[in-house]
Amino acid sequence: MGSPTCLNPITMKKVLANILVLTFSLAGFSQTQQPVISEDSSRIVELKEVTVTTIQKPAQQQLINFFRANNSATLEEILSRLPEISLLRRGTYGMEPSIRSFTGGQINVLVDGMRIHGACTDKMDPATIYIEPINLENLQIQTATAGFMSGSAIGGTINMKIAEPDFLDANKVTGVISSGFQTAAKSFYESARLNYSTGRWAFRASGTYRNNKNYRSGDGEEVNFSQYEKINYSFSAKYQYDQNTYLKADLLGDDGWNIGYPALPMDVGYAKARIASLSIHRENPSKLLYKWQAKIYGNKIDHAMDDTKRPNIPMHMDMPGWSKTYGAYSEAELKINQKQRLLLRADGSSTFLKASMTMYQPGELPMYMLTWPDNRKNQYGISAAWLLQIDSTLKLQVSGRTDLITYNLVSQEAKDQVSIFGYPSANRNDLLKNLSVLLTKKISQKIKISASIAYSERIPTASELYGFYLFNSNDGYDYIGNPKLNIEKSLQADLSAMYNWKNNRVQLSYFYSSLFDYITGIINSSFSTMTIGANGVKEFINIPEASVSGMEGSVIFKPAPAIDVVSTIRYTTGKDNKGNPLPFILPLKNTTSVRYQPKNFSVQLEAEAASKQDHINIEAGEDITTGYSLLHIRFGYNTIIFKNIIELQGGVENIFDRKYHEHLDWGNIPRPGRNMYIQFRIHL
Ligand SMILES: [Cu+2]
């Protein structure tokens, strides 16, 4: 893939035909479709190559490919349909991802292997906002027992791999231009991506513009402060050094402004991210070290919240935040012999964070404080996974990782402020350890089961250590950090069964996690509130125990060549040491899609249903969420006009205009009502 040496001369017509076939075969869905030479098929090949590291890869990739076929979907919409992922929603934009209900500092959210820390104390900017589907090569989601390979974490990893330039169609500009409109938020989506290659060089550029107005909910009401506007742009250059080696430079920028968060008391004035990396990749299947890559990177985020558009605010505040990270990592895959493989990773990163708040009380001097006192986190880690094919049916994987993490306050102002709470030193060094064992057994041609156990640890976040009166609008408390927190630990087990026949697949997973030194906020009545109208102050502490367990299931069924049925189900439950439910856990949820696509036309019906959630944590500001069911319909049509593939997609989401919200939606803000969309794409 990508290497000029492996390209056959192919006519434009054949490429076009193949892309068409591919578009309608839903990428990874039909295993009989190989080999297809196109930009997208190289993705699938790559996807297959990464299957070694996780338990659930093949089914998961099929799901991702299925949901990606909807051109109007944002990355967040694709993520939300995966059974392992749920999204905590504070606004239309910047939803916070969680894996099996683990979130924030419990999981890694990586952009192409790079660490990025949001610059917002209110979590308005998870790293998932920086990748548009147009930039995305693939999504790698690793759940608990395999989830710490690229960073100590108890809940897993989401890695968004950035699309690479390719060497197809040398000396010719190729690409895709698309344009879309949605009625619920009168939103426009414009994007373009271009590819050009010459000799040993290949270049790729992409740009996306999104403009969303306030959307209307199911009862026709306008949801104020739900608008947003952003541009996202990327540029990649790839240099093929020799048959097995290439170098790559990636630049990515994302500028959002006027972003509303209806569930929060403030919006975003602007949010800017700059992400850059340089990497080298080597691949030689005949060598012991058959795959190797190294990358250096840096990123910077500027975030500024804005309350000037809100009516009746008691006091105006300025709340900017900054995040800067640089780092490097190297990954290698070794084939020791026919039966043994070794995956190695070494990485290091350094993150600087600072956020402040200035309060303008009428008639008084402005009051300034650091909400994230200037701090730096340095992280150095190594991980290894050993894969052993014991016999033709039994496979063992042992993975381990250790991280040395230091946290330091880096300005006198920061130290002075944290010392108010009587901590002589707020600096810390921690050594984190993670270990897992996974056994996969092929019981028959059709049935495969896997079982794994893992121990993992995670470091508290900057907010949990140093946060200074961070207001949480869901429970109405100001939160204060605690530099003396213990690391959070988890012991987990995972059981998974897969049944395969022809092109069909059923998968079921069950997991159980026992958490120790679980980090949460509890009321500390010795502090008085800072935020006007706050209910009180909570301090982050460790509670001895908590547990999270649940199941996920997916069915991928092809009853006829033109029909695909995809259904996912999930259920998670969690409780603390006193038996109270943990907050922010989705109830039972099912999504079922039926897609019919004879030739170049497709129609898809999609049903989404969630049960009532009454396992709630009142102290965390939760209330009971009623169940809901939704129906969506989607159409697609492809044709070739003047040698260009034209794709037209349209649909109606929430056909019956239901007024509903999910349990993870802060403030019970209703989600969009009936939404009609149209999406047009032309392949150059
Ligand atoms: Cu913010």
Side-chain angles (χ1 to χ4, degrees):
M1 312 141 285
S3 142
T5 51
C6 67
L7 293 182
N8 300 315
I10 36 170
T11 62
M12 186 62 199
K13 209 173 156 190
K14 195 173 167 198
V15 174
L16 291 178
N18 280 329
I19 294 175
L20 258 187
V21 168
L22 194 81
T23 315
F24 289 103
S25 69
L26 293 173
F29 262 63
S30 54
Q31 286 130 346
T32 50
Q33 215 60 262
Q34 304 286 351
V36 181
I37 302 160
S38 82
E39 186 187 339
D40 287 311
S41 71
S42 67
R43 281 187 192 137
I44 299 156
V45 176
E46 282 203 358
L47 297 183
K48 283 187 179 152
E49 283 182 359
V50 294
T51 57
V52 281
T53 50
T54 45
I55 317 166
Q56 293 152 315
K57 217 68 212 190
Q60 194 183 69
Q61 260 337 313
Q62 284 188 330
L63 292 176
I64 292 168
N65 291 337
F66 184 85
F67 296 123
R68 270 187 88 166
N70 171 13
N71 293 340
S72 72
T74 60
L75 180 65
E76 288 170 339
E77 283 163 342
I78 297 168
L79 279 169
S80 73
R81 285 178 157 67
L82 303 176
E84 300 87 356
I85 308 282
S86 50
L87 297 170
L88 207 132
R89 181 175 162 116
R90 302 177 180 94
T92 323
Y93 182 71
M95 288 181 254
E96 194 189 352
S98 71
I99 306 174
R100 290 178 166 176
S101 300
F102 293 103
T103 186
Q106 297 173 318
I107 61 172
N108 299 307
V109 181
L110 307 176
V111 173
D112 223 350
M114 300 181 277
R115 272 168 228 288
I116 293 188
H117 199 293
C120 177
T121 48
D122 292 347
K123 301 181 180 178
M124 289 165 163
D125 58 350
T128 38
I129 60 176
Y130 303 126
I131 300 295
E132 286 285 340
I134 197 173
N135 297 337
L136 180 75
E137 179 127 336
N138 69 47
L139 264 172
Q140 300 166 333
I141 291 144
Q142 296 171 326
T143 46
T145 50
F148 54 71
M149 280 297 284
S150 40
S152 289
I154 64 169
T157 298
I158 300 173
N159 184 26
M160 297 163 283
K161 217 173 160 306
I162 300 177
E164 294 193 4
D166 68 55
F167 285 97
L168 294 166
D169 296 317
N171 302 312
K172 189 172 180 307
V173 175
T174 59
V176 177
I177 295 172
S178 59
S179 176
F181 179 75
Q182 308 208 5
T183 58
K186 296 184 183 65
S187 53
F188 286 95
Y189 163 65
E190 314 296 333
S191 80
R193 67 159 200 258
L194 297 170
N195 193 86
Y196 179 76
S197 71
T198 176
R200 290 169 176 272
W201 288 92
F203 305 95
R204 188 188 198 275
S206 77
T208 300
Y209 169 70
R210 291 184 187 272
N211 184 344
N212 283 36
K213 304 279 184 288
N214 284 340
Y215 66 81
R216 54 173 288 286
S217 68
D219 58 1
E221 225 169 280
E222 182 177 331
V223 176
N224 283 326
F225 312 108
S226 65
Q227 81 292 340
Y228 73 91
E229 205 166 346
K230 74 172 273 188
I231 52 169
N232 178 286
Y233 43 93
S234 74
F235 181 77
S236 298
K238 192 166 166 179
Y239 175 72
Q240 194 78 38
Y241 176 74
D242 63 27
Q243 196 180 335
N244 307 110
T245 315
Y246 68 87
L247 297 148
K248 192 159 72 81
D250 292 291
L251 288 171
L252 202 144
D254 191 279
D255 285 52
W257 62 94
N258 188 24
I259 307 169
Y261 289 83
L264 300 180
M266 293 188 106
D267 303 308
V268 163
Y270 65 83
K272 297 176 187 174
R274 303 287 178 268
I275 299 162
S277 72
L278 210 59
S279 57
I280 176 166
H281 305 250
R282 265 186 82 83
E283 212 173 319
N284 190 341
S286 61
K287 287 264 178 70
L288 167 74
L289 179 68
Y290 69 96
K291 215 169 167 184
W292 176 77
Q293 65 156 312
K295 179 180 275 184
I296 53 168
Y297 64 88
N299 56 67
K300 184 178 143 213
I301 297 163
D302 272 349
H303 183 86
M305 286 189 259
D306 177 24
D307 60 8
T308 57
K309 295 192 176 66
R310 296 296 179 112
N312 313 321
I313 45 162
M315 170 175 60
H316 166 64
M317 286 186 267
D318 274 339
M319 293 184 73
W322 299 270
S323 149
K324 275 181 207 169
T325 300
Y326 55 85
Y329 70 83
S330 178
E331 280 177 350
E333 296 180 27
L334 285 80
K335 205 185 287 170
I336 301 169
N337 54 36
Q338 283 303 83
K339 294 194 162 173
Q340 291 183 74
R341 291 216 246 179
L342 197 59
L343 313 177
L344 300 170
R345 179 180 161 113
D347 52 66
S349 66
S350 180
T351 299
F352 169 80
L353 289 180
K354 175 183 182 146
S356 69
M357 173 159 83
T358 309
M359 299 198 263
Y360 300 92
Q361 289 167 282
E364 284 180 47
L365 282 176
M367 193 166 127
Y368 172 84
M369 70 188 83
L370 295 166
T371 43
W372 271 342
D374 313 32
N375 65 86
R376 181 171 291 285
K377 174 186 172 188
N378 290 326
Q379 164 271 324
Y380 316 89
I382 45 167
S383 62
W386 174 58
L387 289 86
L388 172 67
Q389 190 79 45
I390 297 170
D391 60 37
S392 61
T393 67
L394 194 60
K395 204 164 80 181
L396 171 75
Q397 178 176 333
V398 181
S399 313
R401 178 176 173 101
T402 179
D403 265 298
L404 176 67
I405 298 175
T406 68
Y407 261 110
N408 290 293
L409 292 175
V410 292
S411 72
Q412 196 53 46
E413 190 186 21
K415 288 173 194 165
D416 291 347
Q417 189 181 302
V418 172
S419 69
I420 295 171
F421 298 110
Y423 298 110
S425 166
N427 298 344
R428 54 188 289 156
N429 299 307
D430 292 275
L431 188 71
L432 275 64
K433 303 160 287 294
N434 308 268
L435 188 71
S436 77
V437 180
L438 160 70
L439 211 55
T440 308
K441 172 84 180 166
K442 212 170 163 183
I443 290 179
S444 71
Q445 273 311 100
K446 292 179 177 170
I447 302 174
K448 201 161 100 176
I449 55 164
S450 63
S452 62
I453 49 164
Y455 171 79
S456 51
E457 299 181 337
R458 69 116 173 163
I459 192 86
T461 62
S463 291
E464 289 161 348
L465 293 173
Y466 307 126
F468 192 77
Y469 291 95
L470 303 179
F471 180 64
N472 175 322
S473 63
N474 201 56
D475 62 8
Y477 281 82
D478 280 334
Y479 277 69
I480 286 176
N482 172 359
K484 296 294 166 210
L485 283 176
N486 294 330
I487 51 177
E488 193 173 279
K489 299 130 192 137
S490 163
L491 202 55
Q492 41 215 332
D494 192 308
L495 202 63
S496 182
M498 199 192 277
Y499 183 72
N500 268 298
W501 78 105
K502 295 181 187 159
N503 288 322
N504 312 305
R505 171 175 276 159
V506 178
Q507 176 159 358
L508 251 167
S509 302
Y510 171 80
F511 65 92
Y512 184 90
S513 296
S514 238
L515 307 164
F516 307 98
D517 279 333
Y518 180 77
I519 298 169
T520 186
I522 62 149
I523 298 167
N524 185 331
S525 47
S526 61
F527 295 118
S528 51
T529 60
M530 180 79 70
T531 306
I532 296 170
N535 296 330
V537 178
K538 283 188 180 178
E539 190 186 17
F540 285 107
I541 60 142
N542 296 104
I543 59 168
E545 270 176 278
S547 68
V548 176
S549 62
M551 55 81 67
E552 291 136 18
S554 64
V555 177
I556 294 167
F557 180 50
K558 211 172 172 62
I563 299 174
D564 290 289
V565 180
V566 168
S567 183
T568 65
I569 191 159
R570 65 171 87 185
Y571 179 75
T572 312
T573 168
K575 53 177 191 286
D576 66 14
N577 57 330
K578 290 180 185 139
N580 300 318
L582 292 181
F584 309 122
I585 290 183
L586 273 188
L588 185 69
K589 192 179 169 187
N590 168 257
T591 309
T592 300
S593 307
V594 180
R595 188 181 288 169
Y596 174 61
Q597 42 184 18
K599 304 265 173 166
N600 53 350
F601 171 76
S602 74
V603 56
Q604 178 178 333
L605 263 178
E606 203 175 295
E608 205 180 314
S611 68
K612 170 178 162 182
Q613 179 59 293
D614 51 10
H615 296 282
I616 54 165
N617 190 313
I618 292 160
E619 278 174 26
E622 288 194 311
D623 57 7
I624 292 175
T625 303
T626 50
Y628 65 85
S629 60
L630 306 171
L631 194 67
H632 318 302
I633 188 162
R634 307 182 192 283
F635 303 97
Y637 177 71
N638 287 23
T639 186
I640 295 179
I641 299 174
F642 300 118
K643 289 186 179 175
N644 291 321
I645 297 172
I646 312 284
E647 286 178 65
L648 200 64
Q649 292 192 347
V652 186
E653 291 168 334
N654 193 356
I655 296 174
F656 299 113
D657 207 25
R658 290 273 155 80
K659 186 183 181 185
Y660 77 107
H661 67 269
E662 277 204 356
H663 185 63
L664 302 194
D665 298 353
W666 277 26
N668 296 345
I669 306 285
R671 293 228 176 183
R674 186 181 300 123
N675 178 40
M676 287 177 270
Y677 69 89
I678 184 149
Q679 186 81 29
F680 174 81
R681 249 188 188 200
I682 175 161
H683 294 248
L684 303 173

